[in-house]
Amino acid sequence: MKKLINSPEDVVSEALRGMEAAHADLVRVNHDPKYLVRADAPVKGKTAIISGGGSGHEPMHGGFVGRGMLDGACPGEVFTSPTPDQMLDCTKAVDGGAGVLHIVKNYTGDVMNFELAADLARGEGIEVEAVVIDDDVAVKDSLYTAGRRGVGATVLAEKVCGAAAEEGRSLADVAQLCRDVNANARSMGMALTSCTVPAAGKPTFELGDDEMEIGIGIHGEPGRERKPAASASEVTAMLAEPVIEDLGLGSGESVLAFVNSMGGTPLIELYIVFNELKAILDARNITIGRHLIGPFITSLEMAGCSITLLRLNDEMTRLWDAPVHTAALRWGA
Amino acid sequence: MDTIGYRDVVGWLRAFAAVVSEKKEFLTELDAAIGDADHGINMNRGMSAALGVIDDHAKEDIGALLKAVAMKLISTVGGASGPLYGTLFLQMSTRTGGASELTAAQWVDALTAGRDGVVARGKAEMGDKTMVDALTPAVDAAREAADAGESPAAVLRASADAAATGVEATIPLVARKGRASYLGERSAGHQDPGATSTYLLLDAAAGAIGAG
């Protein structure tokens, strides 16, 4: 294993110290238990939003903490759910009296730990709602039975809901908006290479030099099928078509197109994929109203990409465009 | 012995920590076959941390002790076992707050609340190849023994024996919850690690309290 780390057990805590050193203007970091909150938290009277999950998906979620997006984030160990004590303390630290939304990706451990944290927070008099994101269309045909995994739509939900909360919308409204984003977004990913969890020291799975895995999860979970590596044009079609079908996108609709790197794929390749995606959508008379291109929900150093499409309406478009100032996303602010 | 005292509960928790430490490789091997090979390691990390809580606990309040153990497990075990065992102890603590001793019937009420919490948290039913397959028969057997007027020691032994039978029964099952469910049919033929640690928990109670 060749990585820029000091020791496997210090990866998460040292990265968190780096975030703290770089972004003290945006976030405050708590080290025991581990969580980060926006620098001005709690914001009085504002619905707060937190998320969390295993580390290794950077910039998600810590890179999305700041004005217009998340109020707080709880990093677990690499690819391991954070624990409810982190989530409870983070919830308390961001609650400005208007309640707290938990945005949870659909993995058994994450869901159970967030449910328990929500119970504990309610026990302390904080209003909590949770929305589970499950947008991965690869899953219904994969080995998994715990339901669709939460992937790319998480980033979009955090941005759109963060904007709504910033406008002063209620907890119930923001939670409903989060469910709307989840209902109108679907994703599919693929891997060209595996990735190595620092504590494990060896690749999560084996993939031959001439192979790719279609429908991969963000922790290297198996997908739909293993195939010979193919061109960007063919791969884009394999990812985009199931997403378009599952969403039931029709002629005349507008989408947010999110082309994401799994960590190891460079921007130049993402633009090639985006160009192919535009051609596929053009042929169906679907407009790309907004886009996001880059590494935003990653799997360590895995090479590969995912495509997420979100069906847009005027409201979601407006909220997407609203100012945001975080370590990883910044515009209008 | 007519009741289960605070010292008995302390003895039970220490005995569970000891047996988890002793059997951590065994639990991890069971998990390696159908899960992610960390159940023994995670439970041992949690119960080792819980021992510190037990040592520091001054007040003879069973509910407060169980709640402290629950919170420690929640913050140290991780995965799905952390919230599940945390919930079990947390729910037991809600029925035992302020008590320095419990009748057999009160113990059964607490264990039932713990089981109900685990079912609600994990949404698993009997036959899904989870800890519920050991816990539910144990609760039923304990209630039957308590209703028949048996001593606490006999109630605890009955629940541990029923849990052992429940663990055996998980072997042929196809998992429908948890990580083992990802394997589908391939999960059959393996003993469930979560049911096994639940048996160890209840057997520790029978050993520590029954012997007291």
Side-chain angles (χ1 to χ4, degrees):
Chain A
M1 177 175 63
K2 205 157 55 166
K3 283 182 185 287
L4 273 177
I5 63 174
N6 294 313
S7 69
E9 57 272 21
D10 295 331
V11 163
V12 175
S13 57
E14 291 182 0
L16 209 50
R17 290 197 184 277
M19 284 283 293
E20 186 176 30
H23 303 297
D25 57 326
L26 297 177
V27 297
R28 265 198 337 264
V29 177
N30 194 75
H31 294 279
D32 186 22
K34 292 186 181 75
Y35 63 85
L36 43 155
V37 298
R38 56 191 267 182
D40 58 350
V43 182
K44 196 166 184 300
K46 186 183 89 73
T47 299
I49 306 174
I50 72 164
S51 189
S55 294
H57 307 301
E58 291 66 28
M60 191 181 74
H61 297 275
F64 302 139
V65 175
R67 192 153 74 83
M69 210 162 166
L70 294 178
D71 292 84
C74 307
E77 287 303 311
V78 173
F79 293 179
T80 300
S81 170
T83 52
D85 55 318
Q86 290 170 268
M87 300 159 182
L88 173 63
D89 284 7
C90 186
T91 299
K92 288 197 278 193
V94 300
D95 179 38
V100 182
L101 174 65
H102 290 177
I103 298 182
V104 186
K105 300 191 299 302
N106 190 31
Y107 301 94
T108 305
D110 290 54
V111 170
M112 262 191 233
N113 281 290
F114 264 107
E115 281 182 2
L116 184 46
D119 286 352
L120 295 169
R122 289 184 193 113
E124 298 196 18
I126 300 174
E127 200 186 343
V128 176
E129 279 221 46
V131 175
V132 175
I133 304 292
D134 59 346
D135 57 309
D136 187 352
V137 299
V139 154
K140 60 185 170 187
D141 294 330
S142 83
L143 291 173
Y144 289 66
T145 61
R148 290 177 160 174
R149 300 173 295 223
V151 288
T154 316
V155 178
L156 310 183
E158 289 174 1
K159 168 66 187 84
V160 169
C161 294
E166 209 70 54
E167 285 184 345
R169 303 262 288 269
S170 71
L171 175 60
D173 275 7
V174 177
Q176 184 54 47
L177 182 65
C178 196
R179 286 187 281 269
D180 289 346
V181 171
N182 187 50
N184 286 289
R186 296 286 186 278
S187 302
M188 180 112 139
M190 60 83 61
L192 294 167
T193 65
S194 186
C195 59
T196 297
V197 175
K202 55 178 197 291
T204 303
F205 60 97
E206 297 294 335
L207 200 55
D209 278 349
D210 52 354
E211 289 180 317
M212 62 180 182
E213 179 89 19
I214 296 286
I216 195 90
I218 55 172
H219 312 93
E221 309 95 317
R224 284 192 171 186
E225 52 187 340
R226 186 161 292 195
K227 307 183 89 149
S231 69
S233 164
E234 291 168 287
V235 168
T236 305
M238 284 178 214
L239 299 183
E241 277 162 10
V243 168
I244 293 166
E245 296 307 322
D246 208 281
L247 265 182
L249 284 173
S251 174
E253 292 201 278
S254 173
V255 296
L256 189 160
F258 173 23
V259 176
N260 173 63
S261 166
M262 292 298 203
T265 287
L267 203 48
I268 190 170
E269 294 176 24
L270 298 185
Y271 275 110
I272 294 172
V273 169
F274 188 81
N275 189 48
E276 297 294 342
L277 178 61
K278 175 141 191 336
I280 290 168
L281 293 170
D282 280 351
R284 294 169 182 255
N285 193 33
I286 298 164
T287 309
I288 298 181
R290 295 290 182 274
H291 64 261
L292 182 68
I293 302 171
F296 292 104
I297 169 170
T298 60
S299 291
L300 297 168
E301 75 281 16
M302 182 187 286
C305 76
S306 64
I307 290 175
T308 301
L309 297 179
L310 166 65
R311 178 186 278 116
L312 285 174
N313 56 28
D314 291 347
E315 169 80 341
M316 273 189 213
T317 306
R318 190 179 62 74
L319 292 167
W320 180 259
D321 290 344
V324 60
H325 190 181
T326 67
L329 284 185
R330 180 177 186 181
W331 56 75
Chain B
M1 190 181 69
D2 300 328
T3 60
I4 296 166
Y6 177 81
R7 290 286 135 205
D8 295 320
V9 174
V10 168
W12 163 48
L13 295 169
R14 284 189 200 285
F16 180 53
V19 74
V20 164
S21 172
E22 183 195 326
K23 299 215 185 261
K24 65 174 186 287
E25 275 97 22
F26 172 62
L27 290 171
T28 293
E29 280 163 28
L30 290 176
D31 195 26
I34 55 172
D36 54 355
D38 61 5
H39 188 56
I41 297 162
N42 290 347
M43 289 300 293
N44 187 49
R45 183 174 57 244
M47 285 310 296
S48 297
L51 281 178
V53 169
I54 297 163
D55 288 341
D56 293 345
H57 201 79
K59 218 166 82 195
E60 296 216 345
D61 177 338
I62 293 171
L65 175 67
L66 292 176
K67 182 168 185 196
V69 168
M71 295 310 290
K72 187 51 82 173
L73 292 178
I74 285 166
S75 65
T76 55
V77 176
S81 298
L84 289 169
Y85 273 99
T87 298
L88 174 64
F89 283 109
L90 203 57
Q91 289 301 318
M92 288 187 79
S93 81
T94 64
R95 304 305 164 98
T96 52
S100 60
E101 57 179 1
L102 304 173
T103 64
Q106 287 170 324
W107 169 269
V108 174
D109 283 344
L111 192 63
T112 303
R115 187 272 316 268
D116 292 348
V118 168
V119 168
R121 179 74 57 216
K123 299 174 183 69
E125 295 168 11
M126 275 293 288
D128 284 350
K129 199 178 182 98
T130 71
M131 65 189 287
V132 171
D133 291 327
L135 198 47
T136 286
V139 168
D140 293 345
R143 182 167 303 285
E144 198 174 314
D147 287 350
E150 302 271 6
S151 71
V155 166
L156 293 168
R157 181 38 61 200
S159 77
D161 290 348
T165 307
V167 170
E168 288 285 312
T170 64
I171 295 173
L173 293 174
V174 172
R176 287 196 295 256
K177 280 285 186 298
R179 256 181 220 261
S181 68
Y182 303 158
L183 293 172
E185 298 288 336
R186 281 181 284 157
S187 63
H190 298 280
Q191 178 175 322
D192 183 66
T196 306
S197 58
T198 297
Y199 159 72
L200 295 177
L201 176 73
L202 297 166
D203 189 58
I209 301 173

Coordinates of all heavy atoms in Angstrom, one line a residue, chain A residues 130-162:
Chain A
A130 N -35.6 13.0 9.7 CA -34.5 12.3 8.9 C -35.1 11.9 7.5 O -36.2 11.5 7.4 CB -34.0 11.0 9.6
V131 N -34.2 12.1 6.5 CA -34.6 11.7 5.1 C -33.5 10.8 4.7 O -32.3 11.1 4.8 CB -34.8 12.9 4.2 CG1 -35.0 12.4 2.8 CG2 -35.9 13.8 4.6
V132 N -33.8 9.6 4.2 CA -32.9 8.6 3.7 C -32.8 8.8 2.2 O -33.8 8.7 1.5 CB -33.3 7.2 4.1 CG1 -32.3 6.2 3.5 CG2 -33.3 7.1 5.6
I133 N -31.6 8.9 1.7 CA -31.3 9.1 0.3 C -31.0 7.7 -0.3 O -30.1 7.0 0.2 CB -30.1 10.0 0.0 CG1 -30.3 11.4 0.6 CG2 -29.8 10.1 -1.5 CD1 -31.4 12.2 0.0
D134 N -31.7 7.3 -1.4 CA -31.5 6.0 -2.0 C -31.7 6.1 -3.5 O -32.7 5.7 -4.0 CB -32.4 4.9 -1.4 CG -33.9 5.2 -1.5 OD1 -34.2 6.4 -1.8 OD2 -34.7 4.3 -1.3
D135 N -30.7 6.5 -4.2 CA -30.8 6.9 -5.6 C -30.1 6.0 -6.6 O -30.1 6.3 -7.8 CB -30.3 8.4 -5.8 CG -28.9 8.5 -5.4 OD1 -28.6 8.1 -4.2 OD2 -28.1 9.1 -6.1
D136 N -29.4 5.0 -6.1 CA -28.5 4.2 -7.0 C -29.3 3.1 -7.8 O -29.8 2.1 -7.2 CB -27.5 3.5 -6.1 CG -26.4 2.8 -6.9 OD1 -26.6 2.7 -8.2 OD2 -25.4 2.3 -6.3
V137 N -29.5 3.3 -9.0 CA -30.3 2.4 -9.8 C -29.6 1.1 -10.0 O -30.3 0.1 -10.4 CB -30.7 3.0 -11.2 CG1 -31.5 4.2 -11.0 CG2 -29.5 3.2 -12.1
A138 N -28.3 1.0 -9.8 CA -27.6 -0.3 -10.0 C -28.1 -1.4 -9.0 O -28.0 -2.5 -9.3 CB -26.1 -0.1 -9.8
V139 N -28.7 -0.9 -7.9 CA -28.8 -1.9 -6.8 C -29.9 -2.9 -7.0 O -29.7 -4.0 -6.5 CB -29.0 -1.1 -5.5 CG1 -29.7 -1.9 -4.5 CG2 -27.6 -0.7 -4.9
K140 N -31.0 -2.6 -7.6 CA -32.0 -3.6 -7.7 C -31.6 -4.9 -8.3 O -32.1 -5.9 -8.0 CB -33.3 -3.0 -8.4 CG -33.0 -2.6 -9.8 CD -34.3 -1.9 -10.4 CE -34.0 -1.3 -11.7 NZ -35.0 -0.5 -12.3
D141 N -30.6 -4.8 -9.2 CA -30.1 -6.0 -9.8 C -28.8 -6.5 -9.2 O -28.2 -7.4 -9.7 CB -29.9 -5.8 -11.3 CG -31.2 -5.6 -12.0 OD1 -32.2 -6.1 -11.5 OD2 -31.2 -4.8 -13.0
S142 N -28.3 -5.9 -8.1 CA -27.0 -6.3 -7.6 C -27.3 -7.3 -6.5 O -28.4 -7.8 -6.3 CB -26.3 -5.1 -7.0 OG -26.7 -4.8 -5.7
L143 N -26.2 -7.6 -5.7 CA -26.4 -8.6 -4.7 C -27.1 -8.1 -3.5 O -27.5 -8.9 -2.6 CB -25.0 -9.1 -4.2 CG -24.1 -9.8 -5.2 CD1 -22.7 -10.0 -4.6 CD2 -24.7 -11.2 -5.4
Y144 N -27.4 -6.8 -3.4 CA -27.8 -6.2 -2.2 C -29.4 -6.3 -2.0 O -30.1 -6.1 -3.0 CB -27.4 -4.7 -2.1 CG -25.9 -4.7 -1.9 CD1 -25.0 -5.2 -2.9 CD2 -25.4 -4.3 -0.7 CE1 -23.7 -5.2 -2.7 CE2 -24.0 -4.3 -0.5 CZ -23.2 -4.7 -1.5 OH -21.8 -4.7 -1.2
T145 N -29.8 -6.4 -0.8 CA -31.2 -6.5 -0.5 C -31.6 -5.4 0.5 O -32.8 -5.3 0.8 CB -31.6 -7.8 0.1 OG1 -30.9 -8.0 1.3 CG2 -31.3 -9.0 -0.8
A146 N -30.7 -4.7 1.0 CA -31.0 -3.6 2.0 C -31.6 -2.4 1.3 O -31.7 -1.3 1.9 CB -29.8 -3.2 2.8
G147 N -31.9 -2.5 0.0 CA -32.5 -1.4 -0.7 C -31.4 -0.6 -1.5 O -30.2 -0.9 -1.4
R148 N -31.9 0.3 -2.3 CA -30.9 1.1 -3.1 C -30.0 1.9 -2.2 O -30.4 2.4 -1.2 CB -31.7 2.2 -3.9 CG -32.5 1.5 -5.0 CD -33.3 2.6 -5.7 NE -33.6 2.1 -7.0 CZ -34.4 2.8 -7.9 NH1 -34.9 4.0 -7.6 NH2 -34.7 2.3 -9.0
R149 N -28.7 2.0 -2.6 CA -27.7 2.8 -1.9 C -27.9 4.3 -2.1 O -28.4 4.7 -3.2 CB -26.3 2.4 -2.3 CG -26.1 0.9 -2.1 CD -24.8 0.4 -2.7 NE -24.7 0.5 -4.2 CZ -24.2 -0.4 -4.9 NH1 -23.7 -1.5 -4.4 NH2 -24.2 -0.3 -6.3
G150 N -27.5 5.1 -1.2 CA -27.5 6.5 -1.3 C -26.1 6.9 -1.9 O -25.1 6.6 -1.4
V151 N -26.2 7.6 -3.1 CA -24.9 8.1 -3.7 C -25.1 9.5 -4.2 O -25.4 10.4 -3.3 CB -24.5 7.1 -4.9 CG1 -24.0 5.8 -4.3 CG2 -25.6 6.8 -5.8
G152 N -24.9 9.8 -5.4 CA -24.7 11.2 -5.9 C -25.8 12.1 -5.5 O -25.6 13.3 -5.4
A153 N -27.1 11.7 -5.4 CA -28.2 12.6 -5.1 C -28.0 13.2 -3.7 O -28.6 14.3 -3.5 CB -29.5 11.8 -5.1
T154 N -27.2 12.6 -2.9 CA -26.9 13.2 -1.6 C -26.3 14.6 -1.7 O -26.7 15.5 -1.0 CB -25.9 12.3 -0.8 OG1 -26.3 10.9 -1.0 CG2 -25.9 12.6 0.7
V155 N -25.4 14.7 -2.6 CA -24.7 16.0 -2.8 C -25.7 17.1 -3.2 O -25.8 18.2 -2.7 CB -23.6 15.9 -3.9 CG1 -22.9 17.3 -4.1 CG2 -22.5 14.9 -3.5
L156 N -26.6 16.7 -4.2 CA -27.6 17.6 -4.7 C -28.6 18.0 -3.7 O -29.0 19.2 -3.5 CB -28.3 17.0 -6.0 CG -27.3 16.4 -7.0 CD1 -28.1 15.9 -8.2 CD2 -26.3 17.5 -7.4
A157 N -29.0 17.0 -2.9 CA -30.0 17.2 -1.8 C -29.4 18.2 -0.8 O -30.1 19.1 -0.3 CB -30.4 15.9 -1.2
E158 N -28.2 18.0 -0.4 CA -27.6 18.9 0.6 C -27.5 20.3 0.1 O -27.8 21.2 0.9 CB -26.2 18.3 1.0 CG -26.3 17.0 1.8 CD -25.0 16.3 2.1 OE1 -23.9 16.8 1.7 OE2 -25.0 15.2 2.7
K159 N -27.2 20.5 -1.2 CA -27.2 21.9 -1.7 C -28.5 22.5 -1.8 O -28.8 23.6 -1.3 CB -26.5 21.8 -3.1 CG -26.7 23.2 -3.9 CD -25.9 24.3 -3.3 CE -26.2 25.7 -3.9 NZ -27.4 26.3 -3.4
V160 N -29.5 21.8 -2.3 CA -30.8 22.3 -2.5 C -31.5 22.6 -1.2 O -32.1 23.7 -0.9 CB -31.7 21.4 -3.4 CG1 -33.2 21.8 -3.4 CG2 -31.2 21.4 -4.8
C161 N -31.4 21.7 -0.3 CA -32.0 21.8 1.1 C -31.3 22.9 1.9 O -32.0 23.6 2.6 CB -32.0 20.5 1.8 SG -33.1 19.2 1.0
G162 N -30.0 23.0 1.7 CA -29.2 24.0 2.4 C -29.7 25.4 2.0 O -29.8 26.3 2.9

